[in-house]
Amino acid sequence: MIVREQIYTALWELGANAARFASANRRMRHWTDVAPAEQPALFMSEKGGQAAIKKLGAPIVWTLYAEFYIYAHSSDPYVAPATILNPLLDAFEAALAPSPTSGIQNLGLPQMVQHAYISGKVQTDEGVLGDQAIAIVPVEILCI
């Protein structure tokens, strides 16, 4: 059996400590509600889970889903917001990197998490026509 809150808390801690975010919260805020002084900012949204049973009588195997929202603002008209966002994405990816020895990212919870990783398309709006850049990073957590 898994303990969802413990898993999401461990995932959040990795993400929130990936870079120096001016604001970081598990309670989602829309980018228009986050002032430039509060950025760069990080938010997490839980996106449910998928249950599977590998064979009759076996315990449920869960895949949990989350999305991280990274906001970056540039008040300088000569600095593209993407130049602020890209290093934040790199830091986030590095924070979720698997252990070099095991090849696994278990969030420090080996009894519940088999692997956590960025999965799927990372959506970005690099702020081409304005001062705001946004990235949405999908994460999957394979649970034991």
Side-chain angles (χ1 to χ4, degrees), residues 8 11-12 15-16 21-35 38-47 66-72 92 132-139:
Y8 282 120
L11 177 64
W12 171 251
F21 294 103
S23 298
N25 201 308
R26 284 182 58 183
R27 188 172 187 146
M28 185 69 196
R29 289 170 55 196
H30 190 271
W31 65 270
T32 58
D33 296 328
V34 182
E38 294 179 279
Q39 298 184 45
L42 179 74
F43 299 95
M44 185 179 87
S45 176
E46 297 176 20
K47 294 296 183 181
E67 287 181 340
F68 282 84
Y69 293 74
I70 302 173
Y71 303 155
F92 185 83
Q132 185 68 55
I134 303 162
I136 304 171
V137 182
V139 174

